């Protein structure tokens, strides 16, 4: 078969120029699109990288916060233990101080009782009974003695006692009545 040759018409220079401008515009357009796509890809990569870093930071800060929380809880427990120890120490010291006060008060009472016994020996003929009975009362129960001098010059020993034993109460009233002379 014979080959056919097609001939093209020559393009005018104006048309060539317009075609050239069109091709260049299309080329620039494709380059811009490619650059935009590349920028878009780079932006996505940067965003993903930032998200990944942010998650890592959050995880590390969460771990740091957990560590800090554990440290603070340990410190809190240590402080609670120290508070309990100091409170027990305070209770012991307070108890020791109260015991010292009670012993001092007891010694003062003993001194007052002895002074009262010495005075009662002067004014009461039956002082031997009084000394024995008062020493029995003193050792058998908790007692507080109050001494007062009467205007007549005699010395009365008043005793305030709290007791559950009626025999000791009767003995106390007996001695008080005996001393007062009734």
């Amino acid at each position: 078969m014979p080959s056919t040759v097609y001939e093209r018409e020559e393009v005018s220079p104006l048309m060539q120029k317009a075609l050239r401008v069109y091709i260049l515009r299309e080329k620039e357009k494709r380059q811009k699109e490619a650059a935009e796509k590349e920028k878009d890809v780079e932006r996505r990569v940067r965003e993903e990288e930032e998200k990944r870093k942010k998650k890592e930071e959050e995880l590390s800060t969460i771990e740091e916060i957990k560590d800090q929380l554990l440290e603070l809880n340990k410190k809190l427990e240590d402080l609670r233990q120290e508070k309990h120890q100091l409170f027990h120490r305070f209770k012991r010291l307070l108890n020791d101080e109260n015991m010292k006060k009670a012993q001092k008060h007891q010694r003062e009472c003993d001194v007052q009782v002895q002074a009262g016994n010495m005075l009662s020996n002067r004014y009461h003929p039956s002082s031997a009974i009084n000394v024995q009975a008062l020493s029995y009362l003193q050792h058998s129960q908790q007692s507080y003695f109050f001494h007062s001098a009467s205007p007549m010059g005699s010395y009365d020993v008043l005793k305030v006692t709290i007791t559950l034993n009626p025999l000791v109460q009767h003995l106390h009233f007996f001695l008080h009545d005996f001393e007062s002379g009734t």
Side-chain angles (χ1 to χ4, degrees), residues 63-114:
E63 291 298 320
E64 289 174 3
I65 290 172
K66 284 180 182 179
D67 292 341
Q68 289 175 353
L69 186 60
L70 289 173
E71 286 178 25
L72 291 174
N73 281 335
K74 183 180 179 189
K75 188 174 182 179
L76 177 64
E77 188 60 34
D78 291 343
L79 290 173
R80 282 184 181 155
Q81 290 294 330
E82 184 179 356
K83 179 191 83 165
H84 288 300
Q85 290 173 356
L86 289 173
F87 182 72
H88 288 298
R89 183 176 171 199
F90 173 72
K91 281 175 62 176
R92 275 186 297 195
L93 289 174
L94 191 60
N95 187 30
D96 291 345
E97 185 177 324
N98 287 339
M99 297 223 4
K100 286 178 184 178
K101 283 182 181 179
Q103 288 173 352
K104 181 181 177 185
H105 187 278
Q106 185 63 34
R107 282 190 300 249
E108 289 172 357
C109 289
D110 290 345
V111 168
Q112 289 175 356
V113 166
Q114 288 175 354

